[in-house]
């Protein structure tokens, strides 16, 4: 059975960076956005739509890429969410079967529970996450600090809802993780080589 | 300024073992029960009484070691708790001033907040904590598994109350710690050398 590490993370906490560096340090595969592309391929939905659903965004419109925009019956929406989650489960399981890897988010900790992954959750104070997002915002992005703050809160609320609905667990609740790391006062780059040795 | 590590822990999670091993690994001081003895000396109260108060136990009687048992006015109780917390603050600060160290429990993470300690919280599933307590119970102890389970829950409830009352923070809430470690599936002895390198 493969050695699997899953990384849940609050938006802006540096969880993705921690996962990526950890994969480099351990010399193992790292899966993040490619999971979304695979789900899109498997379900014939657009990547941006899949991304929205997996991040728990409310989605009252049919994905524009496969049809005209119009209100959709709730039952149909639910079926579509279910089919996305099913694809997500299959793809994440297939990746885990391939060998040692680190998987970022996407309920992988729950989906792979029979593989006994090492489950990490990365978090930080809101203000430190706002600072991180400000420092790393792409050139030309014009969001104000207050808009970024509101965006962080909204994204995490959506992530939590999707995770809680599909796993029956509570997103970010330390009971469901092996190690929780607060990056507010810690330097990710410095920590990673030592975290790597834990496993 | 000294390098300080504080270890909060759920009863039976192995937090004390983790702290002790970490201190050995880092070659620094380790403070645990001696804090209670010092508070007792400073307040002229009995060690067992101080221990009870610091663990948040309800205490409606005057400590038998310094007077006859009788009901005490709530104001007096509150003053006594306050004086114990004041002594606790002074002693823990004095220990931190002496040099690098690890301090187990006793609100040290909050008391030493200006020293920017590395704050660890150790926890585990209830059943794994029951198993740990059963394996390590002193010879002759006759508590049943169910009694141990109830004792663990009660001790943690008391610890949380004392901590929350005096610090205004929430005991065990990951926001207030740098690293939270779930010892349910991890072997403390194996982890410690690597945790040590984090700091």
């Amino acid at each position: 059975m493969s050695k699997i590490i899953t990384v849940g993370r609050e938006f802006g906490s540096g969880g993705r960076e921690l996962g990526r560096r950890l994969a480099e340090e351990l010399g193992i595969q790292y899966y993040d956005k490619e999971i979304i592309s695979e789900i899109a391929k498997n379900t014939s939905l657009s990547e941006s739509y899949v991304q929205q659903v997996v991040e728990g965004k409310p989605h009252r419109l049919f994905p524009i890429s496969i049809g005209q925009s119009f209100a959709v019956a709730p039952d149909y929406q639910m079926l579509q969410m279910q089919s996305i989650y099913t694809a997500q489960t299959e793809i994440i399981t297939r990746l885990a079967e391939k060998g040692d890897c680190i998987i970022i988010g996407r309920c992988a900790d729950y989906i792979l529970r029979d593989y006994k992954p090492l489950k990490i959750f990365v978090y930080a104070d809101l203000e430190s996450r706002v600072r991180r997002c400000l420092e790393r915002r792409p050139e030309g992005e014009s969001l104000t600090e207050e808009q970024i703050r509101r965006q962080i809160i909204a994204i995490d609320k959506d992530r939590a809802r999707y995770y809680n609905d599909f796993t029956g667990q509570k997103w970010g609740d330390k009971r469901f993780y092996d190690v929780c790391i607060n990056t507010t006062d810690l330097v990710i780059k410095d920590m990673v080589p030592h975290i790597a040795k834990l496993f």
Side-chain angles (χ1 to χ4, degrees), chain A:
Chain A
M1 197 181 276
S2 318
K3 225 186 276 176
I4 315 286
I5 298 172
T6 62
V7 181
R9 76 294 181 219
E10 289 183 345
F11 190 80
S13 67
R16 176 172 289 161
E17 182 191 339
L18 187 141
R20 190 176 41 73
R21 288 186 181 274
L22 202 51
E24 280 168 18
E25 186 76 28
L26 295 167
I28 64 178
Q29 284 298 317
Y30 164 83
Y31 302 114
D32 182 4
K33 294 186 177 164
E34 44 276 73
I35 295 169
I36 299 297
S37 318
E38 284 296 310
I39 296 174
K41 269 189 233 157
N42 278 34
T43 55
S44 307
L45 295 166
S46 76
E47 278 192 30
S48 62
Y49 181 72
V50 170
Q51 172 73 23
Q52 278 196 19
V53 172
V54 173
E55 292 281 325
K57 287 245 172 54
H59 48 99
R60 303 209 44 222
L61 298 177
F62 206 70
I64 206 152
S65 62
I66 65 161
Q68 226 178 327
S69 296
F70 57 91
V72 185
D75 280 1
Y76 182 78
Q77 279 187 15
M78 188 42 77
L79 280 174
Q80 203 168 51
M81 277 182 78
Q82 283 285 359
S83 76
I84 287 176
Y85 186 76
T86 304
Q88 184 178 343
T89 302
E90 282 168 12
I91 287 152
I92 286 175
T93 308
R94 206 190 312 141
L95 294 176
E97 284 290 339
K98 276 190 183 176
D100 298 355
C101 63
I102 292 185
I103 301 179
I104 305 296
R106 280 107 201 174
C107 309
D109 54 326
Y110 179 77
I111 290 171
L112 298 176
R113 60 198 178 280
D114 293 340
Y115 292 74
K116 304 261 173 226
L118 195 294
K119 292 164 286 185
I120 299 179
F121 190 82
V122 182
Y123 62 106
D125 282 357
L126 181 58
E127 290 317 302
S128 121
R129 292 188 282 145
V130 171
R131 273 198 308 279
R132 192 180 168 88
C133 290
L134 277 170
E135 282 161 18
R136 287 156 198 255
R137 64 178 160 184
E139 225 173 297
E141 196 195 84
S142 58
L143 291 181
T144 65
E145 194 176 314
E146 184 48 33
Q147 285 170 324
I148 288 178
R149 189 172 292 112
R150 268 185 270 141
Q151 196 186 40
I152 290 174
I153 294 169
I155 290 173
D156 278 354
K157 202 174 155 190
D158 291 339
R159 277 184 185 172
R161 189 181 43 218
Y162 185 83
Y163 182 93
N164 299 353
D165 283 353
F166 279 103
T167 67
Q169 298 185 163
K170 197 170 164 227
W171 183 76
D173 181 334
K174 70 183 190 305
R175 302 266 144 231
F176 299 111
Y177 304 90
D178 296 305
V179 181
C180 300
I181 301 173
N182 187 342
T183 55
T184 307
D185 295 317
L186 302 178
V187 180
I188 293 170
K189 204 173 151 187
D190 298 346
M191 298 176 70
V192 164
H194 309 305
I195 297 176
K197 287 186 191 118
L198 279 179
F199 318 126

